[in-house]
Coordinates of all heavy atoms in Angstrom, one line a residue:
A220 N 9.1 54.4 -3.6 CA 7.8 54.6 -4.4 C 6.9 53.5 -4.2 O 5.6 53.6 -4.1 CB 8.1 54.8 -5.9
F221 N 7.5 52.3 -4.2 CA 6.6 50.9 -4.1 C 6.0 51.1 -2.7 O 4.9 50.6 -2.5 CB 7.5 49.8 -4.1 CG 6.8 48.5 -4.0 CD1 6.3 47.8 -5.1 CD2 6.8 47.8 -2.8 CE1 5.7 46.6 -5.0 CE2 6.1 46.7 -2.7 CZ 5.5 46.0 -3.8
E222 N 6.8 51.3 -1.6 CA 6.2 51.3 -0.2 C 5.1 52.4 0.0 O 4.1 52.2 0.6 CB 7.3 51.6 0.8 CG 8.2 50.4 1.0 CD 7.5 49.1 1.5 OE1 6.6 49.2 2.3 OE2 7.9 48.1 1.1
E223 N 5.3 53.6 -0.7 CA 4.3 54.6 -0.6 C 3.1 54.2 -1.3 O 1.9 54.5 -0.8 CB 4.9 55.9 -1.3 CG 5.9 56.6 -0.4 CD 6.6 57.8 -1.1 OE1 6.1 58.1 -2.3 OE2 7.5 58.3 -0.6
A224 N 3.1 53.6 -2.5 CA 1.9 53.1 -3.2 C 1.3 52.0 -2.5 O 0.0 52.0 -2.4 CB 2.4 52.6 -4.6
K225 N 2.1 51.2 -1.8 CA 1.5 50.1 -1.0 C 0.6 50.6 0.2 O -0.5 50.3 0.3 CB 2.6 49.1 -0.5 CG 2.0 48.0 0.4 CD 3.1 47.1 0.9 CE 3.7 47.8 2.2 NZ 4.6 47.0 2.9
E226 N 1.3 51.5 0.9 CA 0.7 52.2 2.0 C -0.7 52.9 1.6 O -1.7 52.8 2.4 CB 1.6 53.2 2.8 CG 2.7 52.3 3.5 CD 2.3 51.3 4.5 OE1 1.3 51.6 5.3 OE2 2.8 50.1 4.4
L227 N -0.7 53.6 0.5 CA -1.7 54.4 0.1 C -2.9 53.4 -0.2 O -4.1 53.6 0.2 CB -1.5 55.2 -1.2 CG -2.6 55.8 -1.9 CD1 -3.3 56.9 -1.0 CD2 -2.2 56.4 -3.2
T228 N -2.6 52.3 -0.9 CA -3.6 51.4 -1.2 C -4.1 50.6 -0.1 O -5.4 50.4 0.1 CB -3.0 50.2 -2.3 OG1 -2.5 50.9 -3.4 CG2 -4.0 49.2 -2.6
L229 N -3.2 50.3 0.9 CA -3.7 49.7 2.2 C -4.7 50.6 2.9 O -5.6 50.1 3.5 CB -2.6 49.3 3.1 CG -1.7 48.1 2.6 CD1 -0.5 48.0 3.5 CD2 -2.6 46.8 2.7
R230 N -4.4 51.9 3.0 CA -5.3 52.9 3.6 C -6.7 52.9 2.9 O -7.7 52.8 3.6 CB -4.7 54.3 3.7 CG -3.5 54.4 4.6 CD -3.2 55.9 4.8 NE -2.9 56.6 3.7 CZ -1.7 56.7 3.2 NH1 -0.7 56.1 3.8 NH2 -1.4 57.4 2.1
K231 N -6.6 52.8 1.6 CA -8.0 52.9 0.9 C -8.7 51.6 1.1 O -9.9 51.6 1.2 CB -7.7 53.1 -0.6 CG -7.2 54.5 -0.9 CD -6.9 54.9 -2.4 CE -6.5 56.3 -2.6 NZ -7.8 57.1 -2.9
L232 N -8.0 50.5 1.1 CA -8.7 49.1 1.3 C -9.2 49.1 2.7 O -10.3 48.6 2.9 CB -7.6 48.0 1.1 CG -7.3 47.6 -0.3 CD1 -6.1 46.6 -0.3 CD2 -8.6 47.1 -1.0
Q233 N -8.5 49.7 3.7 CA -9.1 49.7 5.1 C -10.3 50.6 5.2 O -11.4 50.1 5.9 CB -8.0 50.3 6.0 CG -8.4 50.2 7.4 CD -8.7 48.8 7.9 OE1 -7.6 48.0 7.8 NE2 -9.8 48.4 8.4
V234 N -10.4 51.6 4.4 CA -11.7 52.5 4.4 C -12.8 51.6 3.8 O -13.9 51.6 4.3 CB -11.5 53.8 3.6 CG1 -12.7 54.4 3.3 CG2 -10.5 54.6 4.4
L235 N -12.5 50.9 2.7 CA -13.5 50.1 2.0 C -13.9 49.0 2.9 O -15.2 48.7 3.0 CB -13.0 49.5 0.8 CG -12.7 50.7 -0.4 CD1 -12.1 50.0 -1.6 CD2 -14.0 51.2 -0.9
E236 N -13.0 48.3 3.6 CA -13.4 47.3 4.6 C -14.2 47.8 5.7 O -15.2 47.2 6.0 CB -12.1 46.6 5.2 CG -12.4 45.4 6.0 CD -11.1 44.8 6.4 OE1 -10.6 43.9 5.7 OE2 -10.7 45.1 7.6
D237 N -13.9 49.0 6.2 CA -14.7 49.6 7.4 C -16.0 49.8 6.9 O -17.0 49.8 7.8 CB -14.0 50.9 7.8 CG -12.6 50.5 8.5 OD1 -12.5 49.4 9.0 OD2 -11.9 51.6 8.7
E238 N -16.2 50.3 5.6 CA -17.6 50.5 5.1 C -18.4 49.3 4.6 O -19.5 49.4 4.1 CB -17.5 51.6 4.0 CG -16.9 52.9 4.5 CD -16.7 53.9 3.4 OE1 -16.8 53.5 2.1 OE2 -16.5 55.1 3.7
G239 N -17.7 48.1 4.7 CA -18.2 46.9 4.3 C -18.3 46.5 2.9 O -18.9 45.7 2.4

Side-chain angles (χ1 to χ4, degrees):
F221 182 89
E222 289 296 326
E223 289 173 5
K225 179 184 82 172
E226 291 304 317
L227 173 64
T228 304
L229 286 171
R230 285 194 304 272
K231 290 181 179 270
L232 283 172
Q233 187 62 58
V234 168
L235 291 173
E236 185 178 276
D237 292 346
E238 294 176 354

